Structures are given as C-alpha cells and as structure tokens.
Amino acid sequence: MRRKFVAGNWKMNTDTAKARDLASQVVAGLAANPAWADKVQVAVCPPFPYLAVAAEAIKGSKVGLGAQNCHHEASGAFTGEVSPAMLKDSGCHYVILGHSERRHKMGETDAQINHKTKAALQHGLTVILCVGETLAERQEQRTLAVLKEQFHHGCHGLSREQMSNVVLAYEPVWAIGTGHNATPEQAQEAHAFLRGRASEEFGPEVASKLQILYGGSLVPDNAPQLLAQPDVDGGLIGGASLDAGRFLKIIEAGAR
Ligand code: 13P
C-alpha cells in the first residue's frame, strides 16, 4: 500500500515570523492527531531563507522539510544558486523540481530538470518531480503526450533504485492558483497514465510503489474527492498550505 503524502509548497511567501508560526502550527496539529501522522506523510517547503527557521520549528516532529528548487552542481561559482548538498545540510529531505512556475516563468527545460533530479538524488534528497500540461495543450488533446514526454525526460537515466526516491506531482498548469481544480476523474486519468508510463519505463514494482501527488487548487473542500482516487497518493498544496488550519484539513482528508 502506498502511503498518502501531503506537502505544502509555500512558493515565494512568508517571512521569518510567519514561517516559524506556520511550521509550528502544522507540527502542533499533527501532534494533536497522531492517527493522521500515521497515515499521511507531511512536508513543508518554505523559501530558501526560511529553511533554517522551519527546520528548527519541525525538529523532532513527523513533519519533513523540503526546498523548492536547487542547482545541479555541488558547489562553485554559480552566483545566486543553491546546491543539493546545501539543502541536505539545511535539514531538507525533499526538493521540488520542475514546478510549472519554473518551467514556464523561468524557462527551465526537461534536460535541466533531469540534471537537477540526478544531482538531488545523488545527494540523498527525495525529489518531488512536477509534470503537467497547459490549458492550450489540454484543449489540443495533448495532455497525455505532454505527461509522457515530461516524465520520460525528467526521469531519464535513473535507476529503479533511484526511482524509489522520486515522488511525482501532477500539476495541470491551468489549475494552479486559479481556483479551477482538475476534476477527480481528470486527476485519476492523468495519474493512472503516469503510473502506466512508470511501469513501462521502470517496471511494475517501481510503478506500484510510486507516490503520485495532485497539485492545482487543492483545498479542504475538494480534497476528500481528489484524494479518494485510487492513483492519487496525496497533494502538493500551494495557496491552502499558507494557512495551517486549511493545510491540516487536507491532511485529515488524506488520512481517511
Ligand atoms: P495552488 O494550490 O495554489 O493552486 O498551487 C499548487 C501548486 O503549484 C503547488 O506546487
């Protein structure tokens, strides 16, 4: 059985005090509901400057820490970049890679994302690899073709063993921050397709263990239906993760 996983992507939000409070409230919410923590793996992904603050707040708890990006080199003359080794050293267990905002706003390519994925895995991080189609691609009936390409290129050259440290996140670009979530049927179709691709490329055992999260306007109201889909193994939450109460409600839905 795959465990559910709910991760909060804080994006470029919070400040020192808010990061500390938010992480502490998530820790307190889980401590008050131990059954949720047994069933659902939980992580928060603050901006780089607040990783240390959040790391301190979650110390000794069941909440994991993730970053939102990294560079592929371990160190060196890369002004403004942060390496996988630095993330490990800062207490991170996870790193989000290939988020659509990085693909579409920063121009990241599948090749760069693959490079980063390999580097992050080599440094012992678990990668939350995001894939997802734009609205135009969906309207042109290209959703599955886009997912196939992004998955293939993103995971190219990884071993089966490395795939056990990869979590996929299906995030349709048109659903992110728009209030228009994918329907449970749309999410299930995409997730089942991605699991099929994983089986094709890495074998059925890898595919059956692969956690595939849904992201895109996932909120407490729609979480029960989305998280009940057989191939939806959790959520990558943007807006609703900035409010501990809403984030915890999504975790509760995942624990059902
Ligand atoms: P929203 O939940 O704000 O739509 O963001 C989803 C997302 O991009 C998570 O990575």
Side-chain angles (χ1 to χ4, degrees):
M1 246 322 253
R2 292 180 300 273
R3 207 162 161 230
K4 287 276 198 287
F5 181 17
V6 174
N9 174 8
W10 295 358
K11 306 193 180 182
M12 199 169 73
N13 294 297
T14 69
D15 56 21
T16 301
K18 165 96 180 168
R20 186 184 293 117
D21 283 356
L22 190 48
S24 304
Q25 286 167 15
V26 174
V27 168
L30 277 195
N33 297 280
W36 300 353
D38 285 346
K39 293 201 175 150
V40 186
Q41 189 180 332
V42 175
V44 292
C45 305
F48 291 137
Y50 309 127
L51 286 173
V53 166
E56 186 61 31
I58 64 171
K59 213 180 201 165
S61 80
K62 299 222 163 132
V63 180
L65 187 67
Q68 301 171 17
N69 182 34
C70 69
H71 193 263
H72 62 268
E73 293 285 350
S75 64
F78 300 98
T79 301
E81 294 292 332
V82 174
S83 75
M86 291 171 182
L87 296 184
K88 268 305 258 195
D89 186 46
S90 303
C92 288
H93 183 78
Y94 306 97
V95 62
I96 299 170
L97 293 175
H99 192 279
S100 77
E101 286 148 17
R102 300 213 56 88
R103 289 178 190 266
H104 298 291
K105 295 183 183 173
M106 320 288 172
E108 276 189 19
T109 64
D110 279 322
Q112 284 172 317
I113 294 161
N114 178 248
H115 218 159
K116 291 176 183 213
T117 298
K118 286 179 174 155
L121 290 170
Q122 273 158 14
H123 283 88
L125 291 160
T126 290
V127 173
I128 303 175
L129 177 66
C130 304
V131 297
E133 81 287 1
T134 62
L135 182 59
E137 288 163 345
R138 177 163 281 268
Q139 286 170 341
E140 292 158 10
Q141 325 279 328
R142 289 175 49 218
T143 297
L144 302 184
V146 168
L147 296 183
K148 180 177 172 182
E149 285 291 295
Q150 291 181 343
F151 174 74
H152 174 75
H153 292 297
C155 295
H156 184 71
L158 301 188
S159 67
R160 287 181 184 175
E161 197 188 335
Q162 284 178 310
M163 281 303 291
S164 65
N165 290 315
V166 173
V167 174
L168 279 189
Y170 169 59
E171 299 210 315
V173 180
W174 48 271
I176 296 177
T178 60
H180 300 294
N181 58 284
T183 64
E185 295 72 26
Q186 286 171 326
Q188 172 56 25
E189 182 196 24
H191 285 227
F193 175 78
L194 285 165
R195 199 175 306 288
R197 294 312 309 160
S199 182
E200 192 72 30
E201 298 208 21
F202 296 98
E205 199 182 328
V206 166
S208 72
K209 290 186 181 153
L210 181 66
Q211 288 171 310
I212 310 180
L213 315 184
Y214 168 77
S217 299
L218 182 53
V219 294
D221 275 354
N222 57 32
Q225 296 80 8
L226 282 161
L227 300 183
Q229 298 305 307
D231 286 291
V232 176
D233 304 312
L236 184 55
I237 322 298
S241 74
L242 294 171
D243 178 308
R246 297 178 79 206
F247 187 59
L248 287 161
K249 281 210 170 78
I250 298 173
I251 294 168
E252 182 182 12
R256 274 187 209 137

